[in-house]
Amino acid sequence: HTHTHTHTRKIKKIPLQSCSENNRAAQAVSSKISASFVMNIYGVKIPVCQNPLSAAQSYCVVAAVAIGYVSSLYIAPVIKRAALSALPDGVKAIFPDLFSGRSIVDESRDSPLVIVTRMSAVAASLVVSTVVVSAAVSQANCEIGVSQPSISVSSATSFVVRTAVLGPTPFSLNAMLAAAATAVLFVGSLLHDSILYHPQPLLQASITRFQDCTVHGYARVRDILIGPITEEIAFRGLCLIALFCSEPVQQAARHSASLWTIYVVPPLIFGGAHMHHILEMCKIRGFSITQAAAAASFQLVYTTLFGALVTHIWLLSGSTLAAIIVHAICNFMSIPEFADAWQDRNNRRSVFSAHIVGVVAFCSILWQMQQGAEASCFAQ
């Protein structure tokens, strides 16, 4: 069927929308929507749910994922420490770093024992969260390519695991563009390393930065590997699936309305999940309550904004893998050291110019990704 100019204008005006509006003429022929019909948010196909969750139900599922993730960081390590302490001394001697130091309750989050036990606990929490989200998908009776009149928990689990871990289109062009755009974003930081710290070419400076990172061992594995993988699966993959099954998102997608909840709820949950660092700031680092609250508030702001950005990238690329890579690059590079760069009067102009070029290039690539995703959605 042909598309009217009205539809073309609507696609341009509404950044986040369903492609179902483009199928009105075809739907008029039949009074019943096919069981294989799916709605689109950019390039991401979401299933139509015959019995969608209420907003409160979907928010409870999202909250359960976040609470399970954060609580596992504190509950399971204490249990595991008690179990490990019962092991024979010969076994403990094999991994001395894991059994040295203070009690796990008093140790820093960078302690090897704390890191290993927390990684194990988070993995267990993701398994539980997957079951919870799968039950929600089954209850919502989402059309996920299964011919049965109702969706079993096992079929829902297969769908949830595939979507949360990989994404609907894990190896799309936009997924590769997202990774490239994020690397370009930090060209100013690499130039800063090359000029101010390591008088080396950009490539060698990035290699030196990686070598410096690897000396931190367990902490760096957590920051640039385990953390991005588990957080993106939980706060992007699982949380977005739960929201896709909600009545507000289903209705908004059908009517091409703004789906603001997708850009607000998961990022806020993601930002709030980092507030538990206040406990360590006060107990381990000796911060006052005021200092810890100020530091945690700043972290809440930038992690929430980062969460919104990665959510947008997930929607544009349909790839959890892309979100993981973007997250890992950002953790690896960290926040640019603008203050140090500004103090170097001889090089600050070139460093800040590189930062500007990186931001402009990042935004340009992101814009092209959005245009391509909207064009793909319109074509369908």
Side-chain angles (χ1 to χ4, degrees):
H1 62 276
T2 59
H3 304 285
T4 65
H5 294 293
T6 301
H7 291 159
T8 301
R9 289 196 298 271
K10 178 170 280 190
I11 289 292
K12 292 181 178 178
K13 286 183 177 180
I14 302 176
L16 188 58
Q17 61 186 353
S18 163
C19 283
S20 60
E21 288 289 320
N22 302 323
N23 297 311
R24 287 187 182 275
Q27 292 175 13
V29 178
S30 173
S31 59
K32 185 176 181 180
I33 300 178
S34 169
S36 63
F37 175 75
V38 290
M39 297 180 293
N40 292 266
I41 299 178
Y42 288 130
V44 177
K45 294 182 177 181
I46 65 172
V48 173
C49 297
Q50 301 301 327
N51 183 34
L53 305 175
S54 66
Q57 288 175 322
S58 65
Y59 294 161
C60 285
V61 173
V62 170
V65 172
I67 292 173
Y69 190 102
V70 175
S71 63
S72 70
L73 300 176
Y74 294 94
I75 298 175
V78 175
I79 299 174
K80 190 171 185 179
R81 175 68 179 189
L84 290 175
S85 63
L87 292 176
D89 292 338
V91 175
K92 295 179 183 179
I94 300 176
F95 306 101
D97 290 343
L98 298 182
F99 297 92
S100 61
R102 298 164 291 178
S103 167
I104 189 170
V105 178
D106 299 321
E107 283 186 299
S108 165
R109 64 190 292 265
D110 292 333
S111 164
L113 174 60
V114 173
I115 292 173
V116 171
T117 52
R118 281 184 169 183
M119 288 190 298
S120 303
V122 165
S125 76
L126 289 181
V127 173
V128 176
S129 295
T130 299
V131 174
V132 172
V133 175
S134 300
V137 171
S138 178
Q139 178 182 339
N141 197 15
C142 298
E143 297 172 359
I144 56 177
V146 181
S147 58
Q148 296 94 327
S150 62
I151 306 303
S152 66
V153 175
S154 60
S155 298
T157 301
S158 177
F159 166 78
V160 169
V161 170
R162 182 175 66 254
T163 304
V165 175
L166 297 177
T169 54
F171 305 106
S172 64
L173 175 60
N174 274 355
M176 293 182 283
L177 288 176
T182 308
V184 171
L185 176 64
F186 289 99
V187 65
S189 295
L190 291 177
L191 183 61
H192 178 249
D193 286 351
S194 178
I195 294 176
L196 301 181
Y197 296 123
H198 313 288
Q200 304 164 343
L202 282 177
L203 179 60
Q204 186 60 40
S206 63
I207 294 175
T208 303
R209 174 185 279 267
F210 177 76
Q211 292 171 340
D212 290 345
C213 289
T214 57
V215 300
H216 294 85
Y218 291 95
R220 270 322 198 181
V221 170
R222 176 200 61 203
D223 291 344
I224 64 177
L225 184 63
I226 305 301
I229 292 174
T230 57
E231 289 181 2
E232 292 309 316
I233 291 175
F235 296 101
R236 241 61 64 188
L238 294 175
C239 288
L240 286 177
I241 293 172
L243 289 177
F244 289 160
C245 296
S246 67
E247 177 67 24
V249 172
Q250 292 274 316
Q251 288 292 338
R254 285 192 180 96
H255 296 90
S256 299
S258 176
L259 302 178
W260 60 269
T261 54
I262 292 179
Y263 281 108
V264 173
V265 176
L268 278 177
I269 293 293
F270 176 70
H274 289 78
M275 294 298 287
H276 68 93
H277 291 161
I278 291 180
L279 298 175
E280 183 190 2
M281 292 178 189
C282 294
K283 191 169 186 178
I284 306 298
R285 301 183 184 180
F287 284 28
S288 67
I289 295 296
T290 303
Q291 291 174 325
S297 298
F298 174 72
Q299 189 176 33
L300 173 65
V301 171
Y302 79 74
T303 52
T304 300
L305 294 175
F306 175 76
L309 172 64
V310 182
T311 296
H312 186 57
I313 289 175
W314 193 96
L315 293 171
L316 289 178
S317 64
S319 174
T320 305
L321 294 180
I324 291 171
I325 293 173
V326 169
H327 195 153
I329 293 175
C330 290
N331 279 7
F332 173 64
M333 297 302 300
S334 190
I335 299 175
E337 299 174 350
F338 294 118
D340 290 342
W342 182 258
Q343 292 176 0
D344 186 351
R345 296 184 177 182
N346 295 328
N347 299 302
R348 65 185 179 190
R349 177 176 295 181
S350 59
V351 171
F352 277 91
S353 296
H355 278 302
I356 294 173
V357 170
V359 171
V360 171
F362 175 80
C363 294
S364 177
I365 296 174
L366 212 62
W367 174 256
Q368 293 300 320
M369 290 170 57
Q370 180 167 327
Q371 295 300 304
E374 289 182 355
S376 173
C377 178
F378 182 78
Q380 295 173 22

